[in-house]
Amino acid sequence: MVGPAVKRAAVAHLRARMGLSERRACQIVGADRKMIRYRSVRPPETELRQRLRDLANERRRFGYRRLFVLLRREGEPSGINRIYRLYREEGLAVRKRRARRKAIGTRAPILVEARPNARWSLDFVHDQLACGRRFRILNVVDDVTRECLAAIPDTSISGRRVARELARVMERRGLPGMIVSDNGTELTSNAILTFAAERDVEWHYIAPGKPMQNGFVESFNGRMRDELLNETMFRDMAHARSAIRAWAADYNKERPHSALGYQTPKAFAEDLLTATDSRAAPPESFAHLSVAPPAPLGVSTRRTPVSAG
C-alpha cells in the first residue's frame, strides 16, 4: 500500500469489517494515526477544475504543459505543479499511442540560417472519408519557424498540382532557401524539376527509406494525425477542407509549440523577424539550427528533367 489515501481506505476497511480499533488497524497497516485522521483544508478550486476540464475536452490530445500555457494566457496565476495535480486528480491524462522505433546513431546536420523561409519541408499524409474513399494532404512546413505554410487535401495531387500550390505559397511568402522532400513520384516528376529550375530553388531529396531525414514535416504530420485526423470523421471533401484549414490556422496562431518555448509558430516568426531586423548583422553571424542530415554519397540532390517518351 502506497500513499495516504490507500492507507486510509485500508484502515477504514479493517475497522468496518473486523471491528478493530483505530490504533490496532494503524499498527497492522503501518500508518500514522495523525495521517489517518487528517482532512485536507485545500479549497475545492471548482472554477479552475472546470476550466481545465473544458480545455482538456476541447484539446483532447494536449498534455498538462500545453494546458498550463493556455491557462496562463487567460490570466490564471497558478503554477504548473498545481495544474499538474488537478490534471491528475481529474483523470485528464492523455492516452499514449504505441510508440514507433526511433533512429539510433549520430548524424551530420545541415546548418540553416535562423530566419523564416530558410528551408521548407514537404510531405503527404493519407486519410479517408466516412464513405471509405481515401484522400491525401500535401503539407508544407517552414523548418525554422515551424509554421504550416499549406495543408492541401484532395483525392489526387499530381506533380503539377504540387508546383501550383508551391507557387501560391511563394507569392505570399517569397522564395525559400531550400526545399526538402522524399523521392515520391509526384515530387520527382518533370513538373517539379522544371519548377525548381525555373525559380532557381535548391531542392534536396532525402535518402530513400529514411523519413527521419525529413524530421520537421514528419513531426508535423504526427501532430496532425494525433490531434485532427484520428479525432475527426470527415463526412466529405468539403468538410475535410474546412476542418483542416481551421486546424492549420489554430496550429499557427493558438497552439503552443514545445520546441519554440511554448510560443505559437506565428509569434515565434514575428519575434525572429524583429530580432533579425534589430541586429542587422551579416548572415554568418546568425544563430544556426541543426536540421535533417544530407543525403549520403551516391544520392543526387540535383536532377534533370527527362524528355517524354
Side-chain angles (χ1 to χ4, degrees):
M1 290 176 292
V2 180
V6 179
K7 291 184 177 181
R8 289 192 192 101
V11 170
H13 175 79
L14 291 176
R15 295 186 65 187
R17 290 298 182 89
M18 304 183 66
L20 300 180
S21 66
E22 181 186 88
R23 184 187 302 274
R24 181 58 178 158
C26 288
Q27 289 176 350
I28 295 174
V29 174
D32 189 277
R33 295 177 67 190
K34 293 181 180 179
M35 182 266 290
I36 296 299
R37 294 179 178 182
Y38 175 79
R39 296 295 178 266
S40 175
V41 295
R42 284 174 175 166
E45 299 172 323
T46 307
E47 294 182 1
L48 179 56
R49 290 174 184 269
Q50 183 60 46
R51 183 55 185 154
L52 186 61
R53 285 196 299 269
D54 292 342
L55 285 175
N57 290 331
E58 180 183 347
R59 310 275 188 165
R60 297 178 57 183
R61 301 303 300 176
F62 275 21
Y64 74 94
R65 291 185 179 88
R66 284 195 173 90
L67 295 177
F68 168 72
V69 173
L70 297 180
L71 288 171
R72 272 297 173 89
R73 288 182 187 172
E74 298 177 356
E76 172 58 44
S78 300
I80 193 170
N81 291 336
R82 174 181 292 178
I83 299 302
Y84 177 65
R85 174 175 61 82
L86 299 179
Y87 178 83
R88 292 291 300 272
E89 291 177 359
E90 295 296 322
L92 301 176
V94 178
R95 180 177 62 86
K96 293 184 179 180
R97 305 188 191 277
R98 185 177 62 180
R100 297 180 179 179
R101 291 191 303 174
K102 297 182 179 179
I104 302 175
T106 58
R107 302 171 184 174
I110 299 175
L111 297 181
V112 175
E113 187 179 343
R115 61 174 178 81
N117 291 347
R119 173 171 163 170
W120 295 355
S121 295
L122 278 70
D123 198 16
F124 289 97
V125 180
H126 296 78
D127 204 67
Q128 64 181 15
L129 304 175
C131 63
R133 186 178 186 183
R134 298 189 63 81
F135 68 94
R136 58 199 325 214
I137 308 167
L138 170 65
N139 287 330
V140 185
V141 176
D142 189 310
D143 290 353
V144 176
T145 66
R146 309 299 205 277
E147 291 174 284
C148 172
L149 306 182
I152 313 298
D154 211 333
T155 53
S156 176
I157 302 179
S158 63
R160 292 182 179 180
R161 175 72 181 279
V162 174
R164 290 200 304 271
E165 298 296 343
L166 285 177
R168 292 192 182 98
V169 177
M170 290 178 184
E171 290 176 0
R172 185 177 75 251
R173 296 269 303 190
L175 293 178
M178 178 188 293
I179 296 179
V180 181
S181 74
D182 58 20
N183 296 267
T185 55
E186 303 86 356
L187 304 176
T188 56
S189 62
N190 283 339
I192 290 297
L193 299 177
T194 303
F195 172 83
E198 289 177 350
R199 286 163 175 76
D200 195 25
V201 174
E202 183 179 358
W203 199 294
H204 176 82
Y205 291 97
I206 65 174
K210 299 291 184 181
M212 69 285 294
Q213 293 184 358
N214 205 11
F216 290 109
V217 73
E218 292 290 347
S219 175
F220 175 82
N221 292 346
R223 302 286 74 75
M224 173 180 279
R225 174 74 61 190
D226 187 44
E227 298 175 12
L228 176 67
L229 303 184
N230 288 347
E231 298 291 320
T232 309
M233 178 65 72
F234 300 110
R235 299 185 298 272
D236 48 34
M237 280 307 304
H239 179 215
R241 292 188 179 99
S242 175
I244 291 170
R245 188 185 309 113
W247 184 86
D250 180 81
Y251 181 91
N252 286 334
K253 300 177 182 178
E254 300 295 335
R255 181 186 184 276
H257 200 300
S258 58
L260 306 178
Y262 290 98
Q263 286 183 286
T264 63
K266 180 177 176 60
F268 179 79
E270 292 173 352
D271 292 347
L272 197 60
L273 286 173
T274 302
T276 303
D277 294 341
S278 63
R279 285 200 301 263
E284 57 270 13
S285 69
F286 287 113
H288 288 75
L289 299 178
S290 297
V291 294
L297 296 177
V299 177
S300 174
T301 59
R302 285 287 189 179
R303 305 192 181 188
T304 304
V306 180
S307 57

